[in-house]
């Protein structure tokens, strides 16, 4: 490594800042996730997501992650809510930050059809928070053990959270630089007109220019907002944009708690003085140690070995986050068509994709063939999500083959006749109907049985 770079890296990791932004982030993050988890339970979504389905689509490499029975899953969510609440309080922080990460990530790995970008974001944040000294001020832990309290931490901890947020925004903006989004205003052209019955603003969506305005604004917003939030001059203006953008998306689209997560999380870009004032205000209304934030104590890792491990892990994580979303360039054909490399790349609400699949099971020994009733195995939501995503189609085909093998067919063949419509275009054949999917296996390699998007 270049000597000047080494010097800079050493000085950077020695830089300190107030712990206040990390404390406020812990409180906001814990509070929003506690509410979100309770909301999930009270809406009876545990039953809907884990009690109703008969089959679950696992992620590649995570087929070993299985759901428990509905009562046990409810207990998992109770533990999850309690863990996020304790993280918010900074109580037995290490234990409950681990539990919140494990319980949340476990529930999200059970079924691919429930995948959302912001679920992935929360798993990453909960992973990052495992290593943060977020409980070292204004917490139950410092009330229990006052010697834990510090006023300053390495600035890298704050920058790590800011970088993760910046990646989410900036990569979402890069993903919007495509023909359909900018020059066809798709899929907003479809979605916005369906909301023209909204009070006060619905009438706007009847105008053809409005979807184009929202498309270009969304792209420019995502690309610029991390940089605007980092500048003192534009930070207040940028946060007003954050409020406007996420409140509008919450009104227009049913995307759960994500807008509130981002509204709260982006406060981390504000200077330490802002967060100190928030904590001082909270201390006035809560029975806590009043002068804790004034203690001039610096949190540091004493072991050189631990420092090297932390820095190496941090650099590997950052490199992964920067490069992984670009894995789609390794696959042929259009990303939106094949969706190979689509997930975990911050491509948020970029397409309207509808599909239909007809599965056929054949006994090669007798020639007997039947069409599969998908409703026998899948919920309506699962069938909808599966019908446009090749890895799910393959996984479901193998499940069908297993079922019919148990019903007496020794070597069942499973084929699918599928059609997909992307961003308002006419539907086209999606999967090669001559391929016996029982002979195909899932992997990171290109799926050659996906028909090309440009078909004659």
């Amino acid at each position: 490594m270049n000597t000047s770079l080494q010097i800079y890296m050493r000085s950077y990791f020695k830089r300190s800042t107030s712990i206040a932004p990390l404390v406020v982030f812990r409180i906001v993050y814990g509070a929003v996730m506690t509410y979100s988890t309770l909301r999930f339970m009270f809406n009876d979504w545990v039953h809907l997501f884990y009690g109703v389905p008969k089959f679950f689509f696992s992620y590649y490499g995570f087929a070993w992650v299985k759901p428990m029975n509905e009562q046990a899953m409810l207990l998992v969510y109770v533990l999850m809510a309690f863990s996020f609440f304790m993280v918010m309080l900074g109580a037995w922080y290490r234990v409950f930050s681990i539990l919140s990460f494990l319980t949340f990530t476990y529930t999200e790995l059970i079924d691919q059809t429930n995948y959302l970008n912001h679920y992935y974001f929360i798993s990453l944040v909960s992973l990052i928070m495992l290593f943060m000294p977020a409980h070292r001020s204004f917490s139950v832990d410092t009330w229990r053990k006052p010697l834990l309290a510090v006023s300053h931490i390495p600035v890298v901890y704050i920058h790590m959270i800011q970088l993760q947020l910046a990646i989410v925004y900036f990569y979402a903006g890069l993903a919007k630089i495509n023909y359909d989004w900018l020059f066809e205003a798709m899929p907003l052209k479809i979605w916005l007109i369906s909301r023209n019955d909204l009070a006060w603003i619905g009438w706007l969506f009847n105008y053809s220019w409005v979807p184009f305005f929202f498309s270009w604004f969304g792209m420019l917003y995502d690309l610029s907002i991390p940089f605007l939030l980092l500048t003192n001059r534009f930070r207040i203006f940028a946060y007003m944009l954050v409020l406007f953008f996420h409140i509008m998306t919450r009104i227009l689209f049913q995307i759960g708690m994500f807008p509130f997560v981002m509204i709260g999380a982006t406060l981390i870009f504000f200077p330490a003085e802002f967060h100190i004032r928030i904590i001082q205000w909270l201390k006035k209304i809560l029975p806590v140690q009043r002068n804790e934030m004034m203690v001039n104590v610096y949190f540091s890792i004493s072991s050189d070995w631990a420092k090297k491990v932390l820095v190496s892990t941090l650099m590997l994580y950052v490199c992964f986050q920067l490069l992984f979303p670009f894995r789609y360039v390794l696959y042929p054909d259009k990303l939106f068509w094949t969706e190979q490399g689509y997930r975990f790349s911050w491509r948020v609400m970029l397409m309207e994709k509808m599909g239909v699949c007809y599965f056929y099971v054949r006994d090669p020994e007798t020639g007997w063939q039947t069409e599969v009733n998908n409703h026998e195995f899948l919920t309506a939501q699962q069938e909808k999500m599966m019908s446009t995503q090749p890895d799910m189609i393959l996984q479901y085909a193998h499940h069908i083959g297993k079922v019919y093998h148990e019903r007496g067919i020794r070597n069942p063949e499973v084929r699918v006749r599928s059609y997909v419509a992307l961003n308002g275009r006419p539907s086209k054949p999606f999967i090669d109907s001559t391929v016996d999917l029982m002979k195909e296996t899932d992997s990171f390699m290109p799926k050659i049985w996906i028909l090309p998007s440009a078909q004659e």
Side-chain angles (χ1 to χ4, degrees):
M1 185 183 291
N2 183 276
T3 304
S4 59
L5 181 59
Q6 285 181 324
I7 295 172
Y8 172 79
M9 292 295 288
R10 287 172 183 168
S11 64
Y12 170 72
F13 283 102
K14 290 180 180 178
R15 286 172 54 191
S16 66
T17 188
S18 169
I19 195 175
L22 183 58
V23 172
V24 172
F25 183 86
R26 183 201 80 215
I27 295 170
V28 172
Y29 156 74
V32 171
M33 290 310 302
T34 300
Y35 174 79
S36 179
T37 308
L38 292 173
R39 173 174 171 264
F40 192 93
M41 291 189 292
F42 292 147
N43 282 327
D44 201 28
W45 290 342
V46 174
H47 170 70
L48 182 65
F49 280 54
Y50 307 105
V52 174
K54 301 173 184 176
F55 172 73
F56 297 88
F57 290 89
S58 60
Y59 288 88
Y60 180 67
F62 290 90
W64 51 272
V65 179
K66 302 294 184 183
M68 297 178 283
N69 62 52
E70 185 178 338
Q71 290 72 28
M73 291 304 299
L74 182 59
L75 288 177
V76 169
Y77 273 86
V78 170
L79 178 59
M80 188 195 306
F82 184 67
S83 297
F84 279 122
F85 179 70
M86 295 298 272
V87 166
M88 179 191 73
L89 297 179
W92 292 271
Y93 177 79
R94 294 301 178 196
V95 172
F96 287 106
S97 59
I98 292 172
L99 283 174
S100 61
F101 167 71
L102 291 177
T103 52
F104 184 86
T105 305
Y106 163 65
T107 60
E108 298 313 315
L109 285 175
I110 288 173
D111 194 343
Q112 281 193 76
T113 57
N114 299 330
Y115 169 80
L116 290 173
N117 277 283
H118 63 270
Y119 291 160
Y120 175 49
F121 172 71
I122 293 299
S123 280
L124 293 177
V125 171
S126 61
L127 175 63
I128 292 170
M129 292 296 282
L130 295 179
F131 304 97
M132 296 284 174
H135 64 307
R136 300 296 293 267
S137 181
F138 194 56
S139 67
V140 170
D141 283 349
T142 55
W143 175 77
R144 291 170 49 242
K145 299 178 180 180
L147 291 179
L148 283 177
V150 299
S151 61
H152 290 75
I153 56 173
V155 72
V156 65
Y157 288 115
I158 305 299
H159 288 173
M160 190 64 218
I161 299 173
Q162 291 176 340
L163 177 62
Q164 185 64 74
L165 285 163
I167 289 173
V168 173
Y169 276 123
F170 189 74
Y171 278 47
L174 288 179
K176 290 180 173 66
I177 304 177
N178 67 77
Y179 181 83
D180 277 9
W181 183 270
L182 296 178
F183 300 106
E184 295 290 342
M186 294 295 286
L188 290 182
K189 189 183 293 184
I190 297 173
W191 294 343
L192 291 182
I193 193 64
S194 68
R195 304 308 308 276
N196 64 0
D197 59 339
L198 283 174
W200 303 106
I201 61 172
W203 60 274
L204 282 170
F205 304 144
N206 293 316
Y207 292 94
S208 60
W209 60 268
V210 172
F212 288 93
F213 171 81
F214 274 76
S215 294
W216 282 83
F217 174 79
M219 181 270 292
L220 294 173
Y221 167 85
D222 283 335
L223 289 175
S224 62
I225 203 66
F227 304 102
L228 294 175
L229 286 168
L230 285 168
T231 59
N232 292 328
R233 183 176 181 180
F234 297 108
R235 186 173 293 116
I236 299 298
F237 168 72
Y239 195 70
M240 293 300 104
L241 287 178
V242 168
L243 291 174
F244 171 77
F245 181 84
H246 288 294
I247 290 172
M248 282 299 296
T249 55
R250 180 65 178 85
I251 292 171
L252 295 174
F253 311 113
Q254 298 302 312
I255 53 176
M257 294 297 295
F258 183 62
F260 303 105
V261 170
M262 298 305 284
I263 287 172
T266 46
L267 290 173
I268 194 78
F269 287 94
F270 279 76
E273 293 75 16
F274 170 81
H275 297 276
I276 291 173
R277 287 196 295 270
I278 292 177
I279 293 174
Q280 289 173 340
W281 175 78
L282 289 173
K283 286 181 177 181
K284 291 179 181 178
I285 61 175
L286 296 172
V288 295
Q289 301 171 39
R290 296 294 176 88
N291 298 319
E292 183 185 289
M293 290 298 300
M294 303 304 293
V295 178
N296 189 23
V297 179
Y298 175 67
F299 170 83
S300 63
I301 300 173
S302 56
S303 168
D304 289 338
W305 178 85
K307 287 180 182 177
K308 290 179 180 178
V309 170
L310 179 63
V311 172
S312 299
T313 303
L314 176 64
M315 293 179 69
L316 285 172
Y317 177 86
V318 170
C319 288
F320 177 81
Q321 288 299 316
L322 292 175
L323 295 176
F324 192 62
F326 290 105
R327 69 194 186 281
Y328 72 93
V329 301
L330 302 175
Y331 295 100
D333 212 340
K334 296 180 180 178
L335 172 63
F336 288 2
W337 180 253
T338 69
E339 296 199 41
Q340 296 184 101
Y342 188 87
R343 296 189 200 99
F344 312 110
S345 60
W346 312 118
R347 300 178 184 279
V348 185
M349 302 180 70
L350 287 179
M351 61 180 179
E352 175 68 18
K353 198 173 183 184
M354 301 178 65
V356 60
C357 290
Y358 305 98
F359 288 85
Y360 299 91
V361 177
R362 181 178 180 273
D363 185 345
E365 296 179 359
T366 65
W368 175 86
Q369 178 172 296
T370 187
E371 181 180 335
V372 176
N373 179 10
N374 292 334
H375 297 164
E376 181 182 352
F377 306 104
L378 305 177
T379 66
Q381 174 66 8
Q382 287 180 315
E383 184 176 7
K384 175 185 175 183
M385 299 300 293
M386 174 274 298
S387 63
T388 62
Q389 301 182 58
D391 56 342
M392 290 190 194
I393 290 174
L394 178 63
Q395 193 174 149
Y396 179 53
H398 278 256
H399 174 69
I400 293 170
K402 180 181 177 182
V403 169
Y404 277 85
H405 175 75
E406 293 170 352
R407 293 178 180 178
I409 301 178
R410 187 163 57 179
N411 295 301
E413 298 175 350
V414 180
R415 293 177 174 81
V416 62
R417 185 160 53 90
S418 62
Y419 301 89
V420 164
L422 176 61
N423 282 346
R425 297 181 180 88
S427 63
K428 296 186 292 187
F430 187 44
I431 304 296
D432 187 344
S433 61
T434 66
V435 172
D436 175 12
L437 294 177
M438 292 300 292
K439 295 179 181 177
E440 304 296 329
T441 57
D442 201 4
S443 69
F444 291 121
M445 298 300 292
K447 296 174 173 59
I448 60 175
W449 36 268
I450 303 174
L451 294 173
S453 58
Q455 302 168 37
E456 295 298 331

